[in-house]
Each structure stands twice: as structure tokens, then as C-alpha cells.
Amino acid sequence: MNTIFDKHVPNLWDTMLQLNGYFASNYNKQVFDSYLQKDLVIATNNLAIKRTLNDEKQPCNTIDTQLKTLERLNAAMTNDINKLLLDDNNEINISSPEFYTKLTPLLINGKVKDPIINFSLLYNNRVLIKNFTKEYATKILNEYPKSLTFVVADNGTFTLPKIRAKHYKVVIDIKENCSIVYDGRNILVPPTAFTKNTPHTTSVKYNLDQIISQQLFNQWFNT
């Protein structure tokens, strides 16, 4: 039990935060801390609020409406909570009959079922994690900002992405199992061409989604 709560639970939580980011319901997308879509979601929300206030002839009426909505939601939440589970301080009363009514179905031979053991088994299932990180790498690429990617056409034309960050890497897929990785950290002027002899450039036997999948897999077990 100590191993589960001291190791598996923190690892599971940290990994889920790092891999999943958070879900922006207004944009219906998964957002990461370094994901540019996060700024767009915030800006869109702020713009929507400003437009609502501008369209309302009397903004104070809008605020009053929101406060009434909040009161209704709080009242609904209060009514949905089973008062028989709470004590005088509105905390769960583990001595109440209602608590034992909820607890009884979870008991096996007088002991509570371990709700974490199944998660720990999944957490250490390398085959399952490999398949998961592979699919998640594809998801990341599909949602990556198009402004930071470029595709070379058959005739050789392309548009360079506008990279403002000081620390970045450029990955060029050559074929299904081959890529060139250029490490642009602390490099003021990017090279005019990429070859295996270009400084700060290495070739790897993976394409971009395989690289991301491998990094996610390694991160899962090194957190």
C-alpha cells in the first residue's frame, strides 16, 4: 500500500499532467502549457466577454444576471449533496449510518477494495503504454500549430515558419524511418541548407511521430 501511494499515484498524476495538459472546452481541444492554442483560447474568451459587455446597453444588468445564475448553481449544488453524509461542519461524517451504507458495497472480507491497484498495473504495462504513446504522438502532431510547420512541395517550394523562441529544434522527415534533426539552441543564424554534415545536425532512423512517441514513452518511466 505504501508503494502504491508513495510511488504509483504521484507518478500517475505527474505523467497525466505532462502528457495530457488540460482540455479547453471552449475550443474543444487538448492544450499544453507550451501550446500556442492556449493563448488563443484565452484571447478568444476575453474577446467574447468584451463583446457581451459592449452589446449590452447596461453592462450592470449583465453582471446581475451572472450573479443570479451563480446563486442558482450554488443552490442546485447544495441540494445535490446528501446531507446525511455531513456533520455540523459540512464535512464527511465517517460515523454516520449513511457513510457505512455507501461503504459496505466496497468491502471484501471486511477490507476496502484497493482502487489504485488496477491503475498501477496499467501504469507499468509497457505494451499498453507503447501503443498509447504512439497514438498520442499522432494526436500531438495533428494539433500542432500549422504556423510552426512547413512542407516542401515536389517543385521544392516551401514557407519557413515564424519561430520566435530562442530554443528550438527543426525535424525534417526524409522518409518513413529517417529524419534530420537540427538543434537551433543558441544559434543566431540558421543554416541555408541541411545535410548530415551541417553543424548541430544529426540524422536518426525514425520519423517525427516515432521520435515523439519514443520521447513520451521514455518520459513515462523517467518521471
Side-chain angles (χ1 to χ4, degrees), residues 128-147:
L128 180 64
I129 295 169
K130 185 175 182 180
N131 292 333
F132 170 79
T133 51
K134 180 180 179 181
E135 292 295 328
Y136 211 90
T138 302
K139 175 181 174 65
I140 290 175
L141 288 176
N142 290 338
E143 297 187 7
Y144 197 77
K146 298 303 179 183
S147 59

Side-chain angles (χ1 to χ4, degrees), residues 13-43:
W13 182 259
D14 291 337
T15 302
M16 292 303 293
L17 286 179
Q18 292 176 21
L19 294 181
N20 291 343
Y22 67 93
F23 187 79
S25 58
N26 289 339
Y27 195 73
N28 197 29
K29 290 288 186 179
Q30 200 77 7
V31 181
F32 301 90
D33 287 339
S34 60
Y35 194 55
L36 297 182
Q37 201 64 54
K38 173 185 176 182
D39 296 332
L40 177 60
V41 171
I42 295 175

